[in-house]
Amino acid sequence: SQQGEEDPQALSIQEGENATMNCSYKTSINNLQWYRQNSGRGLVHLILIRSNEREKHSGRLRVTLDTSKKSSSLLITASRAADTASYFCATGFYGNNRLAFGKGNQVVVIP
Amino acid sequence: EPEVTQTPSHQVTQMGQEVILRCVPISNHLYFYWYRQILGQKVEFLVSFYNNEISEKSEIFDDQFSVERPDGSNFTLKIRSTKLEDSAMYFCASSGRRGSNTEAFFGQGTRLTVV
């Protein structure tokens, strides 16, 4: 399977703490992307990291990619209540347009 | 900010009926996609569409499914004879450039319930 798998699947933290989620995948990828989904809403693209990149930052988000371990992590620093959502990793592959999504991490930030 | 819009937000249909899910991609995008998410499961790729034809489809996208871009703005997914297992959230997405190495913008989704 080429699908990403996030770990852990549910995370509850206090506002201001950092939240870390992991994603692993099974085959070679072209890129890995993280999306957020607020309850009942669409998928919002957060960040894309290419297979030749190791780390990327966007605001309070930090993504790492370890292609040797076929894994990625998403760190949200100084979490806010508004960060409460489900977070999905999705892998993109050479030669096609599809994204393979994981099941998602549900993150609850307690004010 | 440009966005992908989907209608309806929720559709209930009887088993065996045809449904059409509608999407308006971002206006200058060239690549269009449908994904679905069965409750509690992963988001699954269905089909990608470029230059008025399917460029790729998954094993889920069988003869019961079809896509169409009937005019310059709409992108539709038709399910000819719905089954109970078609109940899911269906997401439309669009992107500007070919390949998955580019950001895909997703709509809010249509929740399809087959009864």
Side-chain angles (χ1 to χ4, degrees):
Chain A
S1 169
Q2 294 178 327
Q3 294 160 327
E5 296 283 346
E6 293 92 354
D7 172 50
Q9 294 193 343
L11 185 64
S12 183
I13 57 174
Q14 294 289 329
E15 199 166 33
E17 293 181 340
N18 296 341
T20 300
M21 289 154 270
N22 298 305
C23 168
S24 61
Y25 56 92
K26 295 176 181 170
T27 62
S28 294
I29 62 170
N30 182 22
N31 66 84
L32 188 143
Q33 305 181 40
W34 284 90
Y35 285 82
R36 184 185 72 224
Q37 183 181 34
N38 292 89
S39 179
R41 301 182 68 84
L43 296 160
V44 176
H45 187 271
L46 296 177
I47 197 165
L48 179 154
I49 186 165
R50 292 182 169 77
S51 60
N52 62 351
E53 298 176 313
R54 292 296 166 259
E55 189 172 312
K56 205 159 184 180
H57 297 255
S58 176
R60 293 184 294 113
L61 304 179
R62 174 178 168 258
V63 169
T64 63
L65 179 64
D66 187 336
T67 53
S68 66
K69 295 181 180 177
K70 292 186 169 60
S71 67
S72 173
S73 68
L74 171 66
L75 168 67
I76 305 173
T77 60
S79 62
R80 305 167 181 168
D83 295 328
T84 295
S86 292
Y87 292 83
F88 296 86
C89 73
T91 45
F93 309 98
Y94 295 100
N96 62 55
N97 287 357
R98 67 172 68 188
L99 290 172
F101 281 82
K103 271 193 175 181
N105 283 271
Q106 188 167 2
V107 175
V108 175
V109 181
I110 303 166
Chain B
E1 186 174 329
E3 60 180 13
V4 176
T5 57
Q6 290 185 243
T7 55
S9 57
H10 191 187
Q11 175 141 10
V12 180
T13 188
Q14 287 200 326
M15 191 169 55
Q17 296 295 304
E18 174 184 285
V19 294
I20 298 177
L21 309 183
R22 303 180 190 280
C23 169
V24 179
I26 294 173
S27 62
N28 61 349
H29 281 182
L30 301 174
Y31 302 93
F32 315 113
Y33 314 87
W34 284 101
Y35 288 79
R36 79 172 186 190
Q37 183 181 31
I38 296 171
L39 187 64
Q41 297 188 25
K42 298 179 180 182
V43 177
E44 302 171 293
F45 170 80
L46 293 178
V47 66
S48 59
F49 192 85
Y50 168 71
N51 198 26
N52 281 323
E53 62 182 23
I54 292 173
S55 53
E56 189 181 1
K57 60 183 181 180
S58 72
E59 53 279 1
I60 302 169
F61 195 87
D62 61 21
D63 292 344
Q64 291 298 310
F65 291 89
S66 63
V67 289
E68 191 178 30
R69 188 156 162 82
D71 53 42
S73 60
N74 290 285
F75 179 52
T76 62
L77 174 69
K78 181 193 291 186
I79 308 174
R80 287 191 184 80
S81 177
T82 50
K83 306 169 192 168
L84 294 176
E85 54 265 36
D86 293 327
S87 295
M89 180 76 90
Y90 288 80
F91 293 106
C92 173
S94 69
S95 65
R97 293 183 288 123
R98 182 171 184 79
S100 62
N101 211 6
T102 183
E103 178 181 358
F105 291 82
F106 282 77
Q108 303 287 356
T110 292
R111 181 168 297 284
L112 176 66
T113 303
V114 182
V115 297

